Amino acid sequence: MRKARLILIKGEGFDWVSYQLHAQEHLIGRMYGTIVFPDDRYLSPKHANLYYDGGHLHLRDEGSTNGVFLRLVEPVELRDGDYFLSGEQLMRFDQRTEYDALTLPPDAMKDGTQFYGCAPSEAIQFRLTHFFRGQRQGSIFHATNPSVSLGREQCDLSFPFDRHISGRHARVYKEGTRYFLQDVGSKNGTYYRLNSPYRLKHGDSFFVGQQLMRVELE
């Protein structure tokens, strides 16, 4: 069985501390586990698990509130409802091809009057929803092109006040009937929320709460 160590790259005052992963499993959390960060309020009490299976190290979300985010090395396929991080921006991907209708009073259009607005000239490819802290939904972007860029400036979705996002950071694109998320050489990386256990490779980085960690296989 290959053994590994975990390095805390950025966290709550313990940067570059390392943990030897010699046990069968290693729980990470705010209250419970072998690797505990009691002051990180974005961590669930029991958040994630690093465990060995078949001689390989795996990472699993333990039903946490904020999830486990893995740094992309290559494009990853997106599914309906998937979340990802670019800089400090939390986004959700939805494979929806229709606009949301306004909620009007039941009798608002009974007299045959049409509501203001222009006819959409292009089909929607997918949509991205921006989230603020506290689970507050922000803007919704309806993509009418099969590729959408995200970054700090001159992108389809720009976040000029985010100092952690690169000028051109990531993109979401459609290829055939499938959708993908790709990092485009950003400095701080793009992170995809795991939906199932993941077999870790040497050098993989991930976020749990506000803790950025890297795995090194011995």
Side-chain angles (χ1 to χ4, degrees):
M1 178 185 296
R2 296 183 69 184
K3 297 299 182 180
R5 68 171 179 162
L6 184 66
I7 298 175
L8 180 61
I9 298 175
K10 184 181 71 174
E12 299 299 309
F14 301 102
D15 298 2
W16 303 108
V17 168
S18 64
Y19 304 87
Q20 299 299 320
L21 305 178
H22 290 164
Q24 182 62 34
E25 65 176 21
H26 307 79
L27 285 173
I28 304 172
R30 193 179 74 249
M31 297 174 62
Y32 308 109
T34 54
I35 303 173
V36 178
F37 302 95
D39 297 324
D40 187 346
R41 59 195 181 100
Y42 296 101
L43 276 178
S44 293
K46 185 171 70 172
H47 196 105
N49 195 358
L50 290 159
Y51 65 97
Y52 292 99
D53 184 17
H56 301 283
L57 184 65
H58 292 73
L59 174 62
R60 181 177 67 217
D61 187 351
E62 291 292 315
S64 66
T65 297
N66 289 313
V68 177
F69 287 82
L70 181 75
R71 183 169 184 166
L72 294 187
V73 177
E74 55 189 19
V76 63
E77 186 170 359
L78 290 169
R79 307 290 185 184
D80 226 24
D82 279 349
Y83 288 85
F84 64 91
L85 286 167
S86 291
E88 292 187 324
Q89 310 308 314
L90 176 64
M91 312 292 296
R92 186 184 70 208
F93 167 84
D94 290 297
Q95 186 180 332
R96 292 189 56 178
T97 56
E98 73 279 355
Y99 290 99
D100 293 324
L102 290 173
T103 302
L104 301 174
D107 58 348
M109 300 175 68
K110 283 185 177 180
D111 62 359
T113 304
Q114 293 294 313
F115 196 75
Y116 272 131
C118 64
S121 58
E122 298 175 287
I124 300 174
Q125 303 292 328
F126 55 87
R127 67 184 214 169
L128 300 174
T129 303
H130 184 223
F131 284 88
F132 297 108
R133 290 180 180 177
Q135 295 181 320
R136 293 186 297 121
Q137 181 177 296
S139 59
I140 299 175
F141 180 81
H142 294 89
T144 55
N145 292 317
S147 180
V148 168
S149 60
L150 298 92
R152 191 174 60 252
E153 56 191 14
Q154 297 182 347
C155 292
D156 299 308
L157 283 173
S158 296
F159 304 94
F161 302 109
D162 186 346
R163 60 190 178 91
H164 298 285
I165 202 168
S166 296
R168 183 172 172 83
H169 195 103
R171 74 176 182 126
V172 176
Y173 63 96
K174 184 178 182 181
E175 195 170 89
T177 59
R178 302 164 69 192
Y179 303 84
F180 296 88
L181 170 66
Q182 179 185 25
D183 184 83
V184 291
S186 70
K187 180 180 179 180
N188 292 316
T190 300
Y191 293 79
Y192 167 76
R193 183 169 179 169
L194 295 179
N195 296 311
S196 59
Y198 173 79
R199 177 177 162 181
L200 289 160
K201 300 182 292 293
H202 179 75
D204 275 341
S205 299
F206 62 91
F207 262 115
V208 287
Q210 292 186 309
Q211 315 304 314
L212 176 59
M213 300 178 167
R214 185 177 72 231
V215 169
E216 293 186 352
L217 302 180
E218 297 177 358

